[in-house]
Amino acid sequence: MEMNIKELFEVGVSFESAVGVGTKEERARVVKNTSRINLPNDLVEEVKKFDKEINFLVSGEIFCPDFQLNVSVVKRLCDLNQNFNMSVISITRGKKFLAPILKIENYKAPTIAVLDKDMNVLGVFEETPKVVSAIGNFEESKLNYFKGEYLIDTAKEIVDYIKKCN
C-alpha cells in the first residue's frame, strides 16, 4: 500500500485531536509551551497578511517533547491565518509513507511538510529548528531548548518555507 501527500493529509487529525490523546502531563506541557510563544509583531503581521492557502502535514505524536514545542508553533501560525491548515499523522505513517515521499533517510519526529494548496512541498522541518541542529553540543543548550527559547526560530524557519509559495 502507498499513500500520497494528499491522502496522508486527509487521514490526519487536527492538532486538538492529536494533543487530546496525550496524558494530562503531556497536554499541560503543550499549554505551557504555547504560552511561551512570543512572536515578534512584524512576524505576526507577516503571517496574518499572507493570502495563499498553506497546508502543514505533521508527522508526530504528543508524547514527543519536540512535537510539544514545535508543533505548538505551527498551531499558533494556523490560529493567526485562516488560510493555514494542519493535519497530524502518526510517526508510524510518517516513517512508512511520508519519509519516502520527502526522500528522508534518517526520519525524525516531528516532521512537518509545509505545502501549498496543491500539496506541493515548500519545505520540510525535521525535529528541531536548524539553529538547534547546528549547535555542536546539544547537551549545552538542551535545557534552554526545552524551556522554549528556540520557539521563535521554529516560527521563522516555517515562515521562510511559507514565503516560497508563489
Side-chain angles (χ1 to χ4, degrees):
M1 182 174 130
E2 288 188 25
M3 295 183 82
N4 63 36
I5 285 186
K6 186 172 191 276
E7 292 167 330
L8 288 168
F9 194 88
E10 289 170 356
V11 300
V13 299
S14 69
F15 176 78
E16 293 79 9
S17 293
V19 169
V21 299
T23 66
K24 183 178 180 181
E25 292 79 18
E26 291 164 344
R27 292 190 312 269
R29 281 196 296 272
V30 167
V31 171
K32 188 174 193 175
N33 290 329
T34 300
S35 74
R36 293 174 169 164
I37 303 171
N38 296 312
L39 302 177
N41 288 338
D42 59 329
L43 189 65
V44 169
E45 290 307 312
E46 186 174 10
V47 169
K48 284 181 176 180
K49 289 179 183 174
F50 199 82
D51 64 350
K52 293 183 173 73
E53 181 180 330
I54 296 292
N55 297 297
F56 299 101
L57 177 57
V58 177
S59 170
E61 297 180 42
I62 184 62
F63 65 81
C64 173
D66 298 304
F67 179 100
Q68 296 163 10
L69 287 161
N70 298 306
V71 181
S72 295
V73 172
V74 175
K75 172 63 172 141
R76 172 65 59 86
L77 297 177
C78 289
D79 289 346
L80 290 171
N81 191 317
Q82 65 184 12
N83 295 314
F84 295 1
N85 309 295
M86 182 183 354
S87 180
V88 182
I89 59 172
S90 68
I91 291 172
T92 304
R93 276 202 170 122
K95 284 182 181 177
K96 184 173 182 177
F97 301 114
L98 187 59
I101 293 169
L102 300 176
K103 296 176 177 58
I104 296 173
E105 290 184 29
N106 184 19
Y107 177 86
K108 297 174 183 170
T111 293
I112 304 165
V114 182
L115 311 163
D116 67 13
K117 69 179 176 71
D118 298 317
M119 299 294 170
N120 297 308
V121 179
L122 302 171
V124 179
F125 179 98
E126 295 180 70
E127 190 179 33
T128 62
K130 288 179 182 169
V131 67
V132 172
S133 303
I135 297 171
N137 183 358
F138 179 66
E139 288 301 314
E140 290 177 11
S141 60
K142 184 163 71 173
L143 185 58
N144 291 334
Y145 172 72
F146 289 121
K147 284 183 177 178
E149 292 186 19
Y150 294 93
L151 295 173
I152 290 173
D153 296 293
T154 297
K156 288 179 180 177
E157 188 173 325
I158 297 290
V159 169
D160 283 345
Y161 295 138
I162 291 167
K163 289 179 186 177
K164 294 180 182 179
C165 185
N166 294 336

